[in-house]
Coordinates of all heavy atoms in Angstrom, one line a residue:
V1 N -0.8 -19.7 -7.2 CA 0.4 -19.0 -6.7 C -0.1 -17.8 -5.9 O -0.8 -17.0 -6.4 CB 1.3 -18.5 -7.9 CG1 2.4 -17.8 -7.4 CG2 1.7 -19.7 -8.7
K2 N 0.4 -17.7 -4.7 CA 0.1 -16.6 -3.8 C 1.2 -15.5 -3.9 O 2.4 -15.8 -3.9 CB 0.0 -17.0 -2.4 CG -1.3 -17.8 -2.1 CD -1.5 -18.0 -0.7 CE -2.7 -18.7 -0.4 NZ -3.0 -18.8 1.0
L3 N 0.8 -14.3 -4.0 CA 1.7 -13.2 -3.9 C 2.1 -12.9 -2.5 O 1.3 -12.7 -1.6 CB 1.0 -11.9 -4.5 CG 1.8 -10.6 -4.5 CD1 2.9 -10.7 -5.5 CD2 0.8 -9.5 -4.9
R4 N 3.5 -13.0 -2.3 CA 4.0 -12.9 -0.9 C 4.7 -11.5 -0.7 O 4.6 -10.9 0.4 CB 5.0 -14.0 -0.6 CG 4.5 -15.3 -0.8 CD 4.6 -16.0 0.6 NE 4.1 -17.4 0.4 CZ 3.0 -17.8 1.0 NH1 2.3 -17.0 1.8 NH2 2.6 -19.1 0.9
R5 N 5.3 -11.0 -1.7 CA 6.0 -9.7 -1.6 C 5.7 -8.9 -2.8 O 5.8 -9.3 -4.0 CB 7.5 -10.0 -1.5 CG 8.3 -8.7 -1.2 CD 9.8 -8.9 -1.1 NE 10.2 -10.3 -0.7 CZ 11.3 -10.9 -1.0 NH1 12.2 -10.2 -1.6 NH2 11.6 -12.1 -0.6
L6 N 5.4 -7.6 -2.6 CA 5.1 -6.7 -3.7 C 6.0 -5.5 -3.5 O 5.9 -4.7 -2.5 CB 3.7 -6.2 -3.6 CG 3.1 -5.3 -4.7 CD1 3.3 -6.0 -6.1 CD2 1.7 -5.0 -4.4
D7 N 7.0 -5.3 -4.4 CA 7.9 -4.2 -4.3 C 7.7 -3.3 -5.5 O 8.1 -3.6 -6.6 CB 9.4 -4.8 -4.3 CG 10.4 -3.7 -4.1 OD1 10.1 -2.5 -4.2 OD2 11.6 -4.0 -3.8
L8 N 7.1 -2.2 -5.3 CA 6.8 -1.2 -6.3 C 7.5 0.2 -6.1 O 7.1 1.2 -6.6 CB 5.3 -1.0 -6.4 CG 4.5 -2.2 -6.9 CD1 3.0 -1.9 -6.7 CD2 4.8 -2.5 -8.3
Q9 N 8.6 0.2 -5.3 CA 9.2 1.4 -5.0 C 9.8 2.1 -6.2 O 10.2 1.4 -7.1 CB 10.3 1.2 -3.9 CG 11.5 0.3 -4.4 CD 12.5 0.2 -3.4 OE1 12.8 1.1 -2.6 NE2 13.1 -1.0 -3.3
Q10 N 9.6 3.4 -6.2 CA 10.1 4.3 -7.3 C 9.6 4.0 -8.7 O 10.3 4.0 -9.7 CB 11.7 4.3 -7.3 CG 12.3 4.7 -6.1 CD 13.8 4.7 -6.1 OE1 14.4 4.0 -6.9 NE2 14.4 5.4 -5.2
N11 N 8.3 3.7 -8.7 CA 7.6 3.4 -10.0 C 6.6 4.5 -10.4 O 6.0 4.3 -11.5 CB 6.9 2.1 -9.9 CG 7.8 0.9 -10.2 OD1 8.3 0.7 -11.3 ND2 8.1 0.2 -9.1
K12 N 6.5 5.6 -9.7 CA 5.7 6.7 -10.0 C 4.2 6.3 -10.3 O 3.6 6.7 -11.3 CB 6.2 7.5 -11.2 CG 7.6 8.0 -11.0 CD 8.2 8.7 -12.2 CE 9.6 9.1 -12.0 NZ 10.2 9.7 -13.2
I13 N 3.7 5.4 -9.5 CA 2.3 4.9 -9.7 C 1.3 5.9 -9.4 O 0.2 5.9 -9.9 CB 2.1 3.6 -8.9 CG1 2.2 3.7 -7.4 CG2 3.0 2.5 -9.4 CD1 1.8 2.5 -6.7
G14 N 1.6 6.9 -8.5 CA 0.6 7.9 -8.1 C -0.7 7.4 -7.5 O -0.8 6.2 -7.3
P15 N -1.6 8.3 -7.2 CA -2.9 7.9 -6.6 C -3.7 6.9 -7.4 O -4.3 6.0 -6.9 CB -3.6 9.2 -6.3 CG -2.6 10.3 -6.4 CD -1.5 9.7 -7.3
K16 N -3.8 7.1 -8.7 CA -4.6 6.3 -9.6 C -4.0 4.9 -9.6 O -4.7 3.9 -9.6 CB -4.7 6.8 -11.0 CG -5.6 8.0 -11.0 CD -5.8 8.6 -12.4 CE -6.7 9.8 -12.4 NZ -6.9 10.3 -13.8
G17 N -2.7 4.8 -9.7 CA -2.0 3.5 -9.7 C -2.2 2.8 -8.4 O -2.3 1.6 -8.3
A18 N -2.2 3.5 -7.3 CA -2.4 3.0 -6.0 C -3.8 2.4 -5.8 O -3.9 1.3 -5.3 CB -2.1 4.0 -4.9
T19 N -4.7 3.0 -6.4 CA -6.1 2.5 -6.4 C -6.2 1.2 -7.2 O -6.8 0.2 -6.7 CB -7.1 3.5 -7.0 OG1 -7.0 4.7 -6.2 CG2 -8.5 3.0 -7.0
F20 N -5.5 1.1 -8.3 CA -5.5 -0.1 -9.1 C -4.8 -1.2 -8.3 O -5.3 -2.4 -8.2 CB -4.8 0.1 -10.4 CG -4.7 -1.1 -11.3 CD1 -5.8 -1.6 -12.0 CD2 -3.5 -1.8 -11.4 CE1 -5.7 -2.7 -12.7 CE2 -3.4 -2.9 -12.2 CZ -4.5 -3.4 -12.9
I21 N -3.6 -0.9 -7.7 CA -2.9 -1.9 -6.9 C -3.7 -2.4 -5.7 O -3.7 -3.5 -5.4 CB -1.5 -1.3 -6.4 CG1 -0.6 -1.0 -7.6 CG2 -0.8 -2.2 -5.4 CD1 -0.3 -2.1 -8.5
A22 N -4.4 -1.5 -5.1 CA -5.3 -1.8 -4.0 C -6.3 -2.9 -4.4 O -6.6 -3.8 -3.6 CB -6.0 -0.6 -3.4
R23 N -6.9 -2.7 -5.6 CA -7.9 -3.7 -6.0 C -7.2 -5.1 -6.2 O -7.8 -6.1 -6.0 CB -8.5 -3.3 -7.3 CG -9.6 -2.2 -7.1 CD -10.4 -2.0 -8.3 NE -9.8 -0.7 -8.9 CZ -9.8 -0.3 -10.1 NH1 -10.3 -1.1 -11.0 NH2 -9.3 0.8 -10.5
L24 N -6.0 -5.1 -6.7 CA -5.2 -6.3 -6.9 C -4.9 -7.1 -5.6 O -5.0 -8.3 -5.5 CB -3.9 -6.1 -7.7 CG -4.1 -5.7 -9.1 CD1 -2.7 -5.4 -9.7 CD2 -4.7 -6.8 -9.9
I25 N -4.5 -6.3 -4.6 CA -4.1 -6.9 -3.3 C -5.3 -7.2 -2.4 O -5.1 -7.9 -1.4 CB -3.0 -6.1 -2.6 CG1 -3.5 -4.7 -2.2 CG2 -1.8 -6.0 -3.4 CD1 -2.5 -3.9 -1.4
A26 N -6.5 -6.6 -2.6 CA -7.6 -6.8 -1.8 C -8.0 -8.3 -1.6 O -8.4 -8.7 -0.6 CB -8.8 -6.0 -2.2
G27 N -7.8 -9.1 -2.7 CA -8.2 -10.5 -2.6 C -7.1 -11.4 -2.0 O -7.3 -12.6 -1.8
N28 N -5.9 -10.9 -1.7 CA -4.9 -11.6 -1.1 C -4.8 -11.4 0.4 O -4.1 -10.6 0.9 CB -3.5 -11.2 -1.8 CG -2.4 -12.1 -1.5 OD1 -2.4 -12.7 -0.4 ND2 -1.5 -12.3 -2.4
K29 N -5.7 -12.1 1.1 CA -5.9 -11.8 2.5 C -4.9 -12.4 3.5 O -4.8 -12.0 4.6 CB -7.3 -12.3 2.9 CG -8.4 -11.5 2.1 CD -9.6 -11.4 2.8 CE -10.7 -10.8 2.0 NZ -10.6 -9.4 1.6
Q30 N -4.2 -13.5 3.1 CA -3.2 -14.1 4.0 C -1.8 -14.2 3.5 O -0.9 -14.3 4.2 CB -3.7 -15.5 4.4 CG -5.0 -15.4 5.2 CD -5.5 -16.7 5.7 OE1 -5.0 -17.8 5.2 NE2 -6.4 -16.7 6.6
G31 N -1.6 -14.3 2.2 CA -0.3 -14.6 1.6 C 0.6 -13.4 1.5 O 1.8 -13.6 1.6
L32 N 0.1 -12.2 1.4 CA 0.9 -11.0 1.2 C 1.6 -10.6 2.5 O 0.9 -10.3 3.5 CB 0.1 -9.9 0.7 CG 0.8 -8.7 0.1 CD1 1.8 -9.0 -1.0 CD2 -0.2 -7.6 -0.4
M33 N 2.9 -10.7 2.6 CA 3.6 -10.4 3.8 C 4.4 -9.1 3.8 O 4.7 -8.5 4.8 CB 4.6 -11.5 4.0 CG 3.9 -12.9 4.3 SD 5.1 -14.2 4.4 CE 5.9 -13.8 5.9
S34 N 4.7 -8.5 2.6 CA 5.5 -7.3 2.5 C 5.1 -6.5 1.3 O 5.0 -7.0 0.2 CB 7.0 -7.7 2.4 OG 7.8 -6.6 2.2
I35 N 4.9 -5.2 1.5 CA 4.6 -4.3 0.4 C 5.5 -3.0 0.6 O 5.6 -2.5 1.7 CB 3.1 -3.8 0.5 CG1 2.2 -4.9 0.4 CG2 2.9 -2.8 -0.6 CD1 0.7 -4.6 0.6
D36 N 6.1 -2.7 -0.5 CA 6.9 -1.5 -0.5 C 6.4 -0.5 -1.7 O 6.6 -0.9 -2.8 CB 8.4 -1.8 -0.8 CG 9.3 -0.6 -0.6 OD1 8.8 0.6 -0.6 OD2 10.6 -0.8 -0.5
V37 N 5.8 0.5 -1.3 CA 5.3 1.5 -2.2 C 6.0 2.9 -2.0 O 5.4 3.9 -2.2 CB 3.8 1.7 -2.2 CG1 3.1 0.4 -2.8 CG2 3.3 1.9 -0.8
S38 N 7.2 2.8 -1.6 CA 8.0 4.1 -1.3 C 8.3 4.8 -2.6 O 8.4 4.2 -3.7 CB 9.3 3.7 -0.7 OG 9.1 3.0 0.5
D39 N 8.4 6.1 -2.5 CA 8.7 7.0 -3.6 C 7.8 6.9 -4.8 O 8.3 6.7 -5.9 CB 10.2 6.8 -4.0 CG 11.2 7.0 -2.9 OD1 11.2 8.2 -2.4 OD2 11.9 6.1 -2.5
N40 N 6.5 6.9 -4.6 CA 5.6 6.7 -5.7 C 4.6 7.9 -5.9 O 3.7 7.8 -6.7 CB 4.8 5.4 -5.5 CG 5.6 4.3 -6.1 OD1 5.8 4.2 -7.3 ND2 6.0 3.3 -5.2
G41 N 4.6 8.9 -5.1 CA 3.7 10.0 -5.3 C 2.3 9.6 -4.9 O 1.3 10.0 -5.6
L42 N 2.1 8.7 -3.9 CA 0.8 8.2 -3.6 C -0.3 9.2 -3.2 O -1.4 9.1 -3.6 CB 0.9 7.2 -2.5 CG 1.7 5.9 -2.8 CD1 1.5 4.9 -1.6 CD2 1.2 5.3 -4.1
R43 N 0.1 10.2 -2.4 CA -0.8 11.2 -1.8 C -1.8 10.4 -0.9 O -1.8 9.2 -0.8 CB -1.5 12.0 -2.9 CG -0.5 12.7 -3.8 CD -1.2 13.8 -4.6 NE -0.3 14.4 -5.5 CZ 0.6 15.3 -5.2 NH1 0.7 15.7 -4.0 NH2 1.4 15.8 -6.1
T44 N -2.6 11.2 -0.2 CA -3.5 10.6 0.8 C -4.5 9.6 0.2 O -4.8 8.6 0.7 CB -4.2 11.7 1.5 OG1 -3.2 12.6 2.1 CG2 -5.1 11.2 2.7
A45 N -5.1 10.0 -1.0 CA -6.1 9.1 -1.6 C -5.5 7.7 -1.9 O -6.2 6.7 -1.6 CB -6.6 9.8 -2.9
G46 N -4.4 7.7 -2.5 CA -3.8 6.4 -2.9 C -3.4 5.6 -1.6 O -3.6 4.4 -1.5
F47 N -2.8 6.3 -0.6 CA -2.5 5.7 0.6 C -3.7 5.1 1.3 O -3.7 3.9 1.8 CB -1.8 6.7 1.5 CG -1.4 6.3 2.9 CD1 -0.4 5.2 3.0 CD2 -1.9 6.9 4.0 CE1 0.0 4.8 4.2 CE2 -1.4 6.4 5.3 CZ -0.5 5.4 5.4
S48 N -4.8 5.8 1.3 CA -6.1 5.4 1.9 C -6.6 4.1 1.2 O -7.1 3.2 1.8 CB -7.1 6.5 1.8 OG -6.7 7.6 2.6
D49 N -6.5 4.1 -0.1 CA -7.0 2.9 -0.9 C -6.2 1.7 -0.5 O -6.8 0.6 -0.4 CB -6.9 3.2 -2.4 CG -8.0 4.2 -2.8 OD1 -8.9 4.5 -2.1 OD2 -7.8 4.7 -4.0
I50 N -4.9 1.8 -0.4 CA -4.0 0.7 -0.1 C -4.3 0.2 1.3 O -4.5 -1.0 1.6 CB -2.5 1.0 -0.3 CG1 -2.2 1.1 -1.8 CG2 -1.7 0.0 0.4 CD1 -0.8 1.5 -2.1
L51 N -4.5 1.1 2.3 CA -4.8 0.7 3.6 C -6.2 0.0 3.7 O -6.3 -1.0 4.4 CB -4.8 1.9 4.5 CG -3.5 2.5 4.9 CD1 -3.7 3.8 5.8 CD2 -2.6 1.5 5.6
A52 N -7.1 0.5 3.0 CA -8.5 -0.1 3.0 C -8.4 -1.5 2.4 O -9.0 -2.5 2.9 CB -9.4 0.7 2.2
A53 N -7.6 -1.7 1.4 CA -7.4 -3.1 0.7 C -6.7 -4.0 1.7 O -7.0 -5.2 1.6 CB -6.6 -2.9 -0.5
L54 N -5.9 -3.5 2.6 CA -5.2 -4.4 3.5 C -5.9 -4.6 4.9 O -5.4 -5.3 5.7 CB -3.8 -3.8 3.8 CG -2.9 -3.8 2.6 CD1 -1.6 -2.9 3.0 CD2 -2.5 -5.2 2.2
K55 N -7.1 -4.0 5.0 CA -7.8 -4.1 6.2 C -8.0 -5.5 6.8 O -7.9 -5.7 8.0 CB -9.2 -3.4 6.0 CG -10.0 -3.3 7.3 CD -11.3 -2.5 7.0 CE -12.1 -2.3 8.3 NZ -13.3 -1.6 8.1
D56 N -8.3 -6.4 5.9 CA -8.5 -7.8 6.4 C -7.3 -8.7 6.1 O -7.4 -9.9 6.1 CB -9.8 -8.4 5.7 CG -11.0 -7.6 6.1 OD1 -11.1 -7.3 7.3 OD2 -11.9 -7.5 5.2
N57 N -6.2 -8.1 5.8 CA -5.0 -8.9 5.6 C -4.3 -9.2 6.9 O -3.8 -8.3 7.6 CB -4.0 -8.2 4.6 CG -2.8 -9.0 4.3 OD1 -2.0 -9.3 5.2 ND2 -2.6 -9.2 3.0
F58 N -4.2 -10.5 7.2 CA -3.7 -10.9 8.5 C -2.3 -11.3 8.5 O -1.7 -11.6 9.5 CB -4.6 -12.0 9.1 CG -6.0 -11.6 9.3 CD1 -7.0 -12.1 8.4 CD2 -6.4 -10.6 10.2 CE1 -8.3 -11.7 8.5 CE2 -7.7 -10.2 10.3 CZ -8.7 -10.8 9.5
G59 N -1.7 -11.4 7.3 CA -0.3 -11.9 7.2 C 0.7 -10.8 7.0 O 1.9 -11.0 7.0
L60 N 0.2 -9.6 6.7 CA 1.2 -8.5 6.3 C 2.0 -8.2 7.6 O 1.5 -7.9 8.6 CB 0.4 -7.2 5.9 CG 1.3 -6.1 5.4 CD1 1.9 -6.5 4.0 CD2 0.5 -4.8 5.3
M61 N 3.3 -8.2 7.3 CA 4.3 -7.9 8.4 C 5.0 -6.6 8.1 O 5.6 -6.1 9.0 CB 5.2 -9.1 8.5 CG 4.5 -10.4 8.9 SD 5.7 -11.7 8.9 CE 6.0 -11.7 10.7
R62 N 5.0 -6.1 6.9 CA 5.8 -5.0 6.5 C 5.1 -4.1 5.5 O 4.8 -4.7 4.4 CB 7.2 -5.5 6.1 CG 8.2 -4.4 5.8 CD 9.5 -5.0 5.5 NE 10.1 -4.4 4.3 CZ 11.2 -4.7 3.8 NH1 11.9 -5.7 4.3 NH2 11.7 -4.0 2.8
L63 N 5.0 -2.9 5.7 CA 4.4 -1.9 4.8 C 5.3 -0.7 4.8 O 5.4 0.0 5.7 CB 3.0 -1.5 5.2 CG 2.4 -0.4 4.3 CD1 2.2 -0.9 2.9 CD2 1.0 0.0 4.9
L64 N 6.0 -0.5 3.7 CA 6.9 0.6 3.5 C 6.3 1.7 2.6 O 5.9 1.4 1.5 CB 8.3 0.2 2.9 CG 9.0 -0.9 3.7 CD1 10.2 -1.4 2.9 CD2 9.5 -0.3 5.0
I65 N 6.2 2.9 3.2 CA 5.5 4.0 2.5 C 6.3 5.3 2.4 O 5.7 6.3 2.1 CB 4.1 4.2 3.1 CG1 4.3 4.6 4.6 CG2 3.2 3.1 2.9 CD1 3.0 5.1 5.3
R66 N 7.5 5.2 2.7 CA 8.3 6.4 2.9 C 8.4 7.3 1.6 O 8.2 6.7 0.5 CB 9.7 6.1 3.4 CG 10.6 5.3 2.4 CD 11.9 4.9 2.9 NE 12.6 4.1 2.0 CZ 12.5 2.7 2.1 NH1 11.9 2.1 3.0 NH2 13.2 2.0 1.2
N67 N 8.6 8.5 1.8 CA 8.8 9.5 0.7 C 7.6 9.6 -0.3 O 7.8 9.6 -1.5 CB 10.1 9.2 -0.1 CG 11.3 9.3 0.7 OD1 11.4 10.2 1.6 ND2 12.3 8.5 0.5
N68 N 6.4 9.6 0.3 CA 5.2 9.9 -0.5 C 4.6 11.1 0.1 O 4.6 11.3 1.3 CB 4.2 8.7 -0.3 CG 4.6 7.5 -1.2 OD1 4.6 7.6 -2.4 ND2 5.0 6.4 -0.6
P69 N 4.1 12.0 -0.7 CA 3.5 13.3 -0.3 C 2.2 13.2 0.5 O 1.2 13.6 0.0 CB 3.4 14.1 -1.5 CG 3.2 13.1 -2.6 CD 4.0 11.9 -2.2
V70 N 2.2 12.6 1.6 CA 1.1 12.5 2.5 C 1.4 13.3 3.7 O 2.4 13.1 4.4 CB 0.8 11.0 2.9 CG1 -0.4 10.9 3.9 CG2 0.5 10.1 1.7
Q71 N 0.5 14.2 4.0 CA 0.7 15.1 5.2 C 0.4 14.3 6.5 O -0.4 13.4 6.5 CB -0.3 16.3 5.2 CG 0.0 17.2 4.0 CD 1.4 17.8 4.0 OE1 1.9 18.2 5.0 NE2 2.0 17.9 2.8
P72 N 1.2 14.5 7.5 CA 1.0 13.7 8.8 C -0.4 13.6 9.3 O -0.9 12.5 9.6 CB 1.9 14.4 9.8 CG 3.0 15.1 8.9 CD 2.3 15.5 7.7
A73 N -1.1 14.7 9.3 CA -2.5 14.6 9.8 C -3.4 13.8 8.9 O -4.2 13.1 9.3 CB -3.0 16.1 10.0
E74 N -3.2 14.0 7.6 CA -4.0 13.2 6.6 C -3.6 11.7 6.7 O -4.5 10.9 6.6 CB -3.7 13.7 5.2 CG -4.2 15.1 4.9 CD -3.8 15.6 3.6 OE1 -2.9 15.1 3.0 OE2 -4.4 16.6 3.1
G75 N -2.4 11.4 6.9 CA -2.0 10.0 7.0 C -2.5 9.4 8.2 O -3.0 8.2 8.2
E76 N -2.6 10.1 9.3 CA -3.1 9.6 10.6 C -4.6 9.3 10.4 O -5.2 8.3 10.8 CB -2.9 10.5 11.7 CG -1.5 10.6 12.2 CD -1.2 11.7 13.2 OE1 -2.2 12.3 13.7 OE2 0.0 12.0 13.4
S77 N -5.3 10.2 9.7 CA -6.7 10.1 9.4 C -7.0 8.8 8.5 O -7.9 8.1 8.8 CB -7.3 11.3 8.8 OG -8.6 11.2 8.4
A78 N -6.1 8.6 7.5 CA -6.3 7.5 6.6 C -6.1 6.2 7.4 O -6.8 5.2 7.2 CB -5.3 7.6 5.5
V79 N -5.1 6.2 8.3 CA -4.9 4.9 9.1 C -6.1 4.7 10.0 O -6.6 3.6 10.1 CB -3.6 5.1 9.9 CG1 -3.5 3.9 10.9 CG2 -2.4 5.1 9.0
A80 N -6.7 5.7 10.6 CA -7.8 5.6 11.5 C -9.0 5.1 10.8 O -9.8 4.3 11.3 CB -8.1 6.9 12.2
D81 N -9.2 5.6 9.5 CA -10.4 5.2 8.7 C -10.3 3.8 8.2 O -11.3 3.1 8.0 CB -10.5 6.1 7.6 CG -11.0 7.5 8.0 OD1 -11.4 7.7 9.1 OD2 -10.8 8.5 7.2
A82 N -9.1 3.3 8.1 CA -8.9 1.9 7.5 C -9.0 0.9 8.5 O -9.6 0.4 9.2 CB -7.5 1.8 6.9

């Protein structure tokens, strides 16, 4: 069974939870199409981990990250690094 949609909005997973989630999704390179991690307190570290896990994901069409405390400059750097 392939994971196609992951909706974790408003679950307070924080940066440590984001790192754990990143490990889970890293192996799903084509099936995952949508991720919503809005309102989770990810911070830059958690955001960076999720982006790195998705680096080789060619099927992702939607990534929702709103309302997480990532500063714009830090977020831009995390995207550039991933």
Side-chain angles (χ1 to χ4, degrees):
V1 175
K2 286 189 178 185
L3 179 65
R4 301 242 183 247
R5 186 179 335 156
L6 184 61
D7 186 345
L8 294 171
Q9 64 179 323
Q10 299 178 344
N11 278 287
K12 301 177 185 176
I13 62 173
K16 289 182 181 180
T19 300
F20 179 76
I21 295 301
R23 282 188 260 152
L24 290 175
I25 61 177
N28 191 326
K29 301 209 184 290
Q30 293 181 348
L32 193 59
M33 297 174 67
S34 174
I35 300 174
D36 187 347
V37 289
S38 301
D39 299 304
N40 273 297
L42 295 186
R43 304 197 183 280
T44 304
F47 181 60
S48 296
D49 289 343
I50 288 175
L51 287 178
L54 293 171
K55 186 175 182 180
D56 295 324
N57 183 298
F58 303 107
L60 188 70
M61 301 177 93
R62 185 172 135 181
L63 174 62
L64 300 172
I65 56 169
R66 67 183 172 267
N67 297 327
N68 282 293
V70 175
Q71 297 299 319
E74 293 173 344
E76 289 171 11
S77 177
V79 170
D81 291 344

